[in-house]
Amino acid sequence: MKSLCDKYDIPTAKYKTFVDTSEAKQYIKEQGAPIVIKADGLAAGKGVTVAMTLEDAYEAVDSMLIKGVFGSAGCKVIVEEYLEGEEASFFALVDGENAIALESAQDHKRVGDGDTGPNTGGMGAYSPAPVLTKELQSIVMESIILPTVKGMAAEGCKFVGVLYAGLMIEKKSGLPKLIEYNVRFGDPECQVLMVRLESDLVQVLLAACRGELSDVTLDWSPGSAMVVVMASNGYPGDYKKGSVIQNLEEAELIAPSVKIFHAGTATDSDGNFIATGGRVLGVTAKGGDLEEARDRAYQAVEAINWPGGFYRRDIGWRALPKKQTAAK
């Protein structure tokens, strides 16, 4: 991804790749903290360390290259410039030649309120993301998405599917830089996008497969949607499996727009839902605005009886700064 950005002038953070521990540490020392350390392979959404001190950065390098905490995914590390700003998720559907933008969303990666604690696979999201103005969405399409689609085609490797761009809207320039690509709907952003999409998803995906996206327009419900992830106590570290979750049906009746997505559940011999994963439920709601979506989502969360789980209480806090302490 980084070499593609270099070749096709796609804005991204400055970086270097290492397999040698001492060379990585020397580069980190030259660059200074804060700095970002990434495992080169797939690491279940946990292979990124945002190191605020040199010691944290050295420790992250050791854990990947020496201790092998991510296995083969961490045998090469990328040391990257720390970008200050606001993260946003941008999705596009691609048919190999054309790309159409989906609605914007913003994920919350840190495990704790106020974006504190370790990174996770995502603790909640909302759509649309006010940080991605119409003007910025155009810039993302022109400077990041379309050059990527054209670049992939030029490399003889046309991309067809969902292109998910993790962006940082840089504080100093106000412009978007590409942090990462995924080739799927993001989780938990997918949940808020799907409850807002009014077009037939199957028809749209078929059009992408057939190279016919230039004829497609998408319809979205107005207003906002929010998903609050309920996770097992201890996540993203060690957590117990098998705790019973009750009141899910009652929670879905809080409002017609409430939908609970199951990510890590099973049923036990008594027919109870039990938790089997780290991130377990995606409690999602729509509203006329973000505040209404937030209130409905948290009402549903509070109706669920699951002592073995926890959730962030401030999803949407960047877009609703005055309301971040409102959820009990």
Side-chain angles (χ1 to χ4, degrees), residues 6 14 29 33 37 41 46-47 58 65 115 145 156-157 161 179 195 197 250 254 258 288 308:
D6 272 355
K14 190 173 81 171
K29 190 177 178 182
I37 319 296
K46 299 175 197 168
Y58 298 154
L65 291 179
D115 288 342
I145 301 293
C157 183
I179 301 171
V195 297
L197 181 67
E250 292 85 340
I254 291 287
V258 171

Side-chain angles (χ1 to χ4, degrees), residues 12-311:
T12 189
K14 190 173 81 171
Y15 75 101
K16 267 199 170 175
T17 305
F18 298 93
V19 290
D20 180 89
T21 310
S22 56
E23 285 177 16
K25 289 182 179 177
Q26 181 59 37
Y27 180 73
I28 289 164
K29 190 177 178 182
E30 288 164 11
Q31 297 301 312
I35 199 160
V36 180
I37 319 296
K38 294 181 174 181
D40 189 40
L42 288 171
K46 299 175 197 168
V48 178
T49 299
V50 180
M52 301 314 285
T53 65
L54 290 177
E55 288 69 31
D56 287 349
Y58 298 154
E59 195 179 306
V61 168
D62 286 344
S63 72
M64 291 177 199
L65 291 179
I66 297 175
K67 296 176 191 161
V69 292
F70 297 119
S72 61
C75 60
K76 189 195 286 184
V77 300
I78 293 151
V79 180
E80 199 173 88
E81 167 193 14
Y82 172 80
L83 298 176
E84 193 180 353
E86 194 167 340
E87 281 192 59
S89 303
F90 189 94
F91 297 87
L93 267 177
V94 184
D95 67 5
E97 301 279 345
N98 307 292
I100 56 170
L102 302 180
E103 277 286 275
S104 63
Q106 189 170 55
D107 185 10
H108 296 58
K109 284 284 181 214
R110 297 294 187 101
V111 74
D113 289 359
D115 288 342
T116 55
N119 268 327
T120 70
M123 293 300 295
Y126 58 90
S127 173
V131 67
L132 273 174
T133 60
K134 290 290 176 216
E135 183 189 4
L136 270 181
Q137 289 184 48
S138 298
I139 292 170
V140 173
M141 283 300 284
E142 293 304 319
S143 68
I144 296 175
I145 301 293
L146 293 173
T148 302
V149 174
K150 287 172 182 156
M152 292 290 283
E155 298 292 318
C157 183
K158 283 186 179 180
F159 177 72
V160 177
V162 179
L163 198 55
Y164 156 101
L167 304 174
M168 180 68 78
I169 313 303
E170 248 198 315
K171 197 172 181 178
K172 59 185 178 193
S173 68
L175 293 172
K177 280 191 175 176
L178 181 65
I179 301 171
E180 63 170 351
Y181 267 135
N182 283 308
V183 289
R184 55 174 172 79
F185 286 107
D187 173 18
E189 298 99 321
C190 184
Q191 289 85 311
V192 288
L193 291 176
M194 290 303 101
V195 297
R196 290 192 59 217
L197 181 67
E198 295 190 337
S199 303
D200 184 334
L201 179 66
V202 176
Q203 295 300 329
V204 175
L205 296 181
L206 279 171
C209 293
R210 292 170 177 154
E212 297 169 357
L213 276 185
S214 55
D215 305 327
V216 171
T217 53
L218 298 176
D219 294 319
W220 300 90
S221 66
S224 296
M226 182 178 287
V227 56
V228 179
V229 170
M230 298 187 77
S232 296
N233 290 336
Y235 174 83
D238 294 332
Y239 54 84
K240 286 182 183 161
K241 296 182 179 182
S243 55
V244 174
I245 307 165
Q246 294 174 311
N247 277 21
L248 288 175
E249 287 180 6
E250 292 85 340
E252 268 202 332
L253 297 174
I254 291 287
S257 69
V258 171
K259 178 82 185 164
I260 299 173
F261 293 93
H262 290 235
T265 64
T267 49
D268 65 13
S269 54
D270 298 323
N272 296 310
F273 282 108
I274 57 168
T276 59
R279 292 185 302 153
V280 175
L281 299 169
V283 182
T284 311
K286 283 196 296 184
D289 56 22
L290 189 56
E291 197 170 340
E292 186 174 50
R294 192 271 318 270
D295 290 347
R296 286 174 176 171
Y298 276 108
Q299 282 170 8
V301 164
E302 285 159 18
I304 295 168
N305 180 8
W306 181 31
F310 77 98
Y311 55 93

